[in-house]
Amino acid sequence: MHIARTIPELREHLAAFRRPAFVPTMGNLHDGHLALVKQAQPLGDVTVASIFVNRLQFLPHEDFDTYPRTWDSDCEKLRTAGCDVLFAPDEKALYPEPQTCKVHPDPALADLLEGHFRPGFFIGVCTVVMKLFSCVQPRVAVFGKKDYQQLMTIRHMVRQFALPIEIVGGETFRAADGLALSSRNGYLSEAERAEAVQLSKTLQAMAAAVREGERDLAAIEARAMQTLTARGWQPDYLVLRRRADLLAPSAGEPLVALAAARLGSTRLIDNLEIDV
């Protein structure tokens, strides 16, 4: 696996390839990341991953400084997964001057849910993804569905800018008990880890209510909020939205249940597409 630390080095190494397949990450890799790398491999002629903890998408009170950085382990995992190239710039390499030009995604999508509770988050995400796309120049990029709104926002950005990149979604990778894998799961205490599975169980209960014919979606959402709150969680949202744009659904539209909630000091997100 070739490790490139600068943009010129990366571009020089990738010059021989015509169809890079790209998986951007912030490191602290788990099996979900590696599944995305493996999904990307047959989609291009070289598989590229990046590790960059992007300051622009963290709010001032969030965990940028303490976000887990596990370089040696990440490199070994990527080698084992068959990654060909790792782009791992430091801040000065990716942002050699203050990044005053930023991508502002459509607020109709980006200011909902995660964007409401983390103002500016998707500006930071879209800006760094656009810059990484410029560096790697992929023809395919793979993003996990666990960050459902992020995947939708990036797809919208690529479409709006007519970028020649196919955006592929990777299914959420879960532990045996159903908890969606996340780099932030490492913040959980043993007791919190045992409790954390309740987030996915609550989404499953919401989906079951829809499949069983319950049509009062607000009541389903309220019941889910009450369930988690009673167990000591601090939910930001537990909602049922239409998959097309994450707005309130009309009857018969494909749905997705989305959740974000804090357990102790750890904020977890998850989602579940609902087929009826």
Side-chain angles (χ1 to χ4, degrees), residues 227-243:
T227 296
L228 280 190
T229 301
R231 299 184 68 93
W233 292 69
Q234 296 173 285
D236 284 342
Y237 57 83
L238 286 146
V239 296
L240 294 160
R241 296 293 174 91
R242 61 187 185 193
R243 291 186 212 170

Side-chain angles (χ1 to χ4, degrees), residues 59 61-62 105-123 149-150 153 225 235-239 241 246 260 262 267 269:
L59 297 180
H61 66 278
E62 293 183 334
D106 184 355
L109 173 61
D111 287 359
L112 305 173
L113 303 176
E114 285 298 286
H116 174 75
F117 286 96
R118 302 179 69 190
F121 171 70
F122 286 116
I123 295 173
Q149 188 177 5
Q150 173 178 280
T153 302
M225 291 285 281
D236 284 342
Y237 57 83
L238 286 146
V239 296
R241 296 293 174 91
L246 300 187
R262 194 172 299 277
R267 187 176 185 273
I269 67 171

